């Protein structure tokens, strides 16, 4: 059964509607206040710097890579694959001999900024703790890396990595890895001398000695 609206109730509703009319005109639509802060369609929001929590913005592009850099401390964020694309142009010509390990270390001491207190930082994309990795195994440039999202470079680290690649460091690092793998491979078993007793006889002698100890009390 439909409830009948009395004249008094109708008048009360009209008074409330008139009182709220001015207030509703001043309330912005949901999401309208931050519409300008939203990134354009198809582009992710700029990350927050994991180093100092400052604002990061796109400061340039090269090799098809957009570089996000902290406007406060200068740290650089590169999405996965972008670091390799940036340093590829610094590779030495094919066939160029790599430096010696001593030459590489001396040069990297000149271009690599000494690291201060070690800190593990959160990925600005996924929030997980990033791992620390020595770029190229022997460069001495320790970068913060998160598997799929990308890498964070402290100020000066991009230039140090470029110098490492330009010196031929990756080729020297490959030689270093092969040498380490060769040292870790166990040597082949030594072959028995032709005049020595067969292995079967050796095993049988050991079995006899064990029998004597257990059952004969010798």
């Amino acid at each position: 059964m439909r409830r009948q609206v009395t004249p008094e109730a109708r008048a009360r509703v009209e008074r409330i509607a008139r009182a709220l009319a001015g207030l509703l005109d001043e309330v912005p639509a949901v999401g309208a206040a931050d519409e300008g802060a939203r990134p354009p369609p198809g582009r992710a929001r700029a990350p927050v710097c994991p180093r100092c929590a400052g604002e990061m913005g796109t400061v340039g592009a090269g090799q098809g890579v957009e570089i996000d850099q902290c406007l406060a401390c200068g740290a650089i964020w590169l999405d996965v694959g972008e670091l390799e694309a940036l340093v590829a142009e610094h590779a030495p010509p094919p066939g160029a001999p790599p430096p010696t390990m001593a030459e590489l270390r001396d040069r990297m001491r000149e271009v690599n900024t000494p690291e201060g207190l070690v800190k593990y930082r959160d990925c600005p994309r996924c929030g997980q703790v990033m791992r620390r990795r020595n770029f190229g195994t022997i460069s001495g440039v320790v970068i913060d890396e998160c598997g799929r999202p990308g890498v964070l470079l402290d100020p000066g680290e991009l230039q140090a990595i470029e110098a490492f690649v330009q010196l031929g460091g990756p080729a020297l690092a490959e030689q270093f890895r092969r040498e380490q793998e060769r040292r870790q491979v166990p040597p082949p078993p030594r072959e028995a001398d032709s005049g020595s007793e067969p292995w079967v006889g050796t095993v049988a002698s050991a079995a006899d000695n064990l029998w004597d100890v257990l059952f004969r009390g010798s």
Side-chain angles (χ1 to χ4, degrees):
M1 181 176 179
R2 186 175 180 179
R3 184 178 179 180
Q4 186 177 3
V5 180
T6 63
E8 292 80 7
R10 187 184 301 275
R12 183 166 60 253
V13 169
E14 291 176 354
R15 289 196 302 271
I16 295 175
R18 286 194 299 270
L20 294 176
L23 296 177
L24 293 176
D25 291 340
E26 298 175 0
V27 176
V30 176
D34 60 346
E35 187 67 28
R38 293 181 179 179
R43 183 173 179 182
R45 185 183 296 272
V48 175
C49 177
R51 189 169 183 264
C52 71
E55 179 183 357
M56 302 191 79
T58 302
V59 297
Q63 305 297 318
V65 175
E66 286 189 349
I67 301 175
D68 292 321
Q69 187 171 30
C70 177
L71 305 180
C73 72
I76 294 175
W77 171 262
L78 297 171
D79 292 326
V80 62
E82 292 184 338
L83 177 58
E84 291 74 13
L86 280 178
V87 302
E89 62 178 357
H90 297 278
T100 65
M101 186 66 75
E103 292 173 343
L104 180 68
R105 287 174 176 170
D106 289 342
R107 178 57 179 157
M108 293 308 297
R109 288 193 191 99
E110 297 176 2
V111 298
N112 193 18
T113 304
E115 189 175 14
L117 182 64
V118 174
K119 293 182 179 180
Y120 287 86
R121 298 157 177 163
D122 295 336
C123 173
R125 298 294 193 201
C126 68
Q128 299 296 319
V129 177
M130 294 185 286
R131 69 186 184 97
R132 294 165 54 80
R133 175 170 69 89
N134 187 356
F135 180 86
T137 308
I138 59 174
S139 70
V141 184
V142 181
I143 62 177
D144 298 283
E145 181 180 56
C146 189
R148 285 179 292 178
V151 298
L152 178 75
L153 304 178
D154 288 347
E157 287 185 343
L158 178 58
Q159 292 77 9
I161 291 174
E162 291 173 347
F164 173 76
V165 173
Q166 193 170 16
L167 286 169
L172 188 59
E174 181 63 23
Q175 294 180 9
F176 177 79
R177 283 192 292 267
R178 290 179 180 177
E179 179 65 20
Q180 292 297 312
E181 291 175 357
R182 186 185 66 81
R183 293 179 179 179
Q184 292 174 1
V185 174
R190 188 180 61 180
E191 296 182 0
D193 297 335
S194 57
S196 62
E197 295 182 358
W199 286 105
V200 175
T202 304
V203 174
S205 299
D208 290 341
N209 293 335
L210 181 60
W211 178 272
D212 289 340
V213 171
L214 295 177
F215 298 103
R216 295 178 183 175
S218 58

